[in-house]
Amino acid sequence: MLFNSINYFIFLFITIIIYFIAPEKYRKYILLLASYFFYAYSDFKNIIILILVTLISFISGLLLEKYKNKSTQKKIIFIAIFLIVGILIYFKYLKFVYENINYLLNTNFSIENIVVPLGISFFTLQAISYPIDVYRKEVDVEKNIFTFALFVSFFPQILSGPIGKSKNMLPQFNKKCIAKKENIKVGAYIILFGLFQKMVIADLLAIGVNNVYSGLEDYKGIALIIVAFMYSFQIYFDFNSYSKMAYGSGKIFGYELINNFKSPYFSHSIKEFWSKWHISLSTWFRDYIYFPLGGSRISKNRTYLNILIVFLISGLWHGAAYTFIIWGILHALFQIFERQFNLYFKFNFLNIIKTFILVTFAWIFFRANTLEDAIYFIKNMFFIDFVNIKNQILSVGLDKIEILVLIVSISLVLTLEVINIKKDICSWFVKTSPNFQAMIIMTTIFLIIIFGVYGPGFDNSQFIYLGY
C-alpha cells in the first residue's frame, strides 16, 4: 500500500475515525491491528517474518532483565542479533552470496526465487537496536508484547523508515493517546506537502531518469550529465516526500517520528551531508557500529578504517549488488580525503557545490542497474557535444512545460528549505489565518491535480527506498 495511492488515504481515513472514536485504552491496539493490516496488504505471508523478528527482539529484552551478569547479557544480545541478521541475510543476500560463490568456484549452485519482504531492512534495524539499548540502560525493558509489536510495526515507518529508536518511540507508545486537533492539522499539511514533492517533482523526474537508464547506449554527453543531476533531485524528493508523509501520518495520531532530512544538499562537506541525509539511518550506523568500533577517539588510520567499514556495511544494507558497495566505498573515501587533505574552499557556496557534485557522482552507481551500466555512464558523460543542446536536453523524455514545472517546483521547495533552517515554516503556517491556510491547501491540491504525474497509462511509481 503506497503512501501516494488512493488505497492508503482510504486506509488512513478509516484508521483515524476508528482510532479517535474508540476509548483511549484501546487506541494502541487499534493502531497495532491497523499496522499489521497495512503490512499484510502487499503479501500476508510477510507477517510471519515480522512476528518472528518482533518475538526475538522482545524475548531478548526480557532475558536481559532476568540475567544481570554482563557476560550473559552480551551472549543474549549476540544471539538475538545473530538470529535477526540471519533472517535478513537469508531473504536479502543469500542469492547474492550464491552468485559470488558460483563465480569464484565455477560452480552452479542454484536457489529458489526468494521474495524479499517489504521493509525488512528497516524493521530489522529497529529490532536489533532494542536489546542493545536495554543493555546500555537507555530504555526500560518493555513487558507488554503488544506495545513492543507496535514499536516494530508502526505503519507510517515500517516500510521505509524513519528508523525509530526504542528510547524515543516506546515511551510515546506507553503514554495516553490524546486526540489533538492541531496534530491532525499539522499532520495533514505535512502529508499534502509530501504528496506534492512526490507527484509533481519526484515522479516527473523519474520519467526522464528511467528513459535514459533503460536505454543508456543511446545517450552520451549532456543528456547523461543532466540525468545524473536529475536523479540526485529525484531520490531526494522521493525519499524526503516519503519521510514527510510518514512523519505527518504519525503526527496525526500524536506520535513524533524523527525528522529524516535537514536540507542535505546545502551541506558544506560529505560528513555534514550524512548528518542531514536519512538521519535515522546515519545515526543508527553511528550509534551501533561506528561508536562501538571506536569512532574517532582512536588513531587517525583506525578512524578512517571505521569510516570505511561503516559505509561498506551501509552500501550492502541498501542492496545486494556491487553498485551499492561501490557507492558506499565512495562516500567513505570522500570523507577520508576531506579529513586527510582538508579539501575545503574559503567560500561556503563552493563547498556546497563541491559536496553536491560528489554526491551526484556517487548516485550514478546507486541508480545504475549494473556495474557495467555505471561504467558506461561515467565514460560517456564527458563526450560533450554543444551542437543541438536543446534537442539533447529534450531527448531525456521531458517536454518544455515539464522541464519548466520542475525548475519552478524544485526552486520553490529548496527556497522553503532555506527559510525553514531559521524559521519553522510548519509552526508558522498553523498560526496563520484559516483563509490563508485554505488558499495554500487548495493551491497545492490544484498544482498536484494539474502537474502531478498520474492518470491513464501511468504506472503508479513506488517510492525508491521501498526496494531497499
Side-chain angles (χ1 to χ4, degrees), residues 248-280:
S249 298
K251 186 75 173 180
I252 286 173
F253 298 100
Y255 300 107
E256 289 285 334
L257 304 183
I258 189 172
N259 183 5
N260 224 8
F261 293 89
K262 292 184 179 179
S263 305
Y265 285 156
F266 292 101
S267 301
H268 300 152
S269 66
I270 296 297
K271 180 182 179 181
E272 183 183 349
F273 171 81
W274 278 104
S275 69
K276 297 180 176 181
W277 174 278
H278 202 345
I279 296 171
S280 64

Side-chain angles (χ1 to χ4, degrees), residues 15 19 26-36 50 54 58 123 126 142 144-158 169-170 172-175 177 253 255 257:
T15 303
Y19 180 82
Y26 296 120
R27 288 177 179 171
K28 182 163 53 179
Y29 304 101
I30 290 169
L31 273 187
L32 178 60
L33 288 173
S35 296
Y36 269 70
L50 176 61
T54 300
F58 177 73
F123 67 74
Q126 288 201 180
E142 179 55 57
N144 186 320
I145 181 62
F146 299 108
T147 301
F148 187 80
L150 179 58
F151 159 67
V152 178
S153 67
F154 190 37
F155 74 85
Q157 60 183 150
I158 187 171
M169 297 305 299
L170 282 173
Q172 293 191 65
F173 290 131
N174 279 311
K175 71 179 182 181
C177 307
F253 298 100
Y255 300 107
L257 304 183

